[in-house]
Amino acid sequence: MELKKPYTLDEQIKKLKDHGVVISDDAFSRKVLQKVSYYRFSGYMLQYRLSTDSHEMIKGICFGDFIAGIRIYCGFRVITCNMCQTGPQRSCI
């Protein structure tokens, strides 16, 4: 079984743009994708797809919209872990 070759950061940004995501700052997007990874990031994109069988996003959706979702999720995770006194003690972005 042949494994897929991983996308470079520039290829990941192009792929996001091809799917309709508005990216105004490629350098910032590159930094985020370096830290989060495209595949983890794409999980936050699912709710913004036009349909479940399409990779196209809702018109006008911005890279920053996904960042907001990730920050909210990470905030909840930190709060929950701190309440249980386990796991991460800070946010992931």
Side-chain angles (χ1 to χ4, degrees):
M1 180 175 172
E2 191 173 323
L3 297 176
K4 288 183 178 180
K5 180 185 135 228
Y7 292 112
T8 66
L9 292 173
D10 289 332
E11 290 171 332
Q12 292 172 28
I13 290 169
K14 182 183 180 321
K15 189 171 177 127
L16 289 169
K17 288 179 178 179
D18 289 346
H19 291 314
V21 177
V22 177
I23 298 177
S24 58
D25 186 349
D26 285 5
F28 173 72
S29 301
R30 201 173 288 108
K31 284 181 185 179
V32 170
L33 290 169
Q34 217 169 11
K35 189 171 186 177
V36 176
S37 92
Y38 177 84
Y39 296 100
R40 182 171 170 212
F41 187 82
S42 65
Y44 295 95
M45 296 169 36
L46 295 174
Q47 64 187 339
Y48 298 102
R49 286 185 176 177
L50 289 175
S51 68
T52 55
D53 59 344
S54 170
H55 292 288
E56 293 302 311
M57 298 293 137
I58 296 170
K59 186 176 174 98
I61 196 74
C62 297
F63 190 82
D65 297 328
F66 301 119
I67 300 303
I70 292 170
R71 285 184 174 151
I72 289 168
Y73 167 77
C74 289
F76 284 131
R77 188 180 69 165
V78 168
I79 290 168
T80 304
C81 290
N82 286 343
M83 288 173 64
C84 297
Q85 297 181 349
T86 61
Q89 302 297 313
R90 61 182 179 81
S91 181
C92 59
I93 292 185

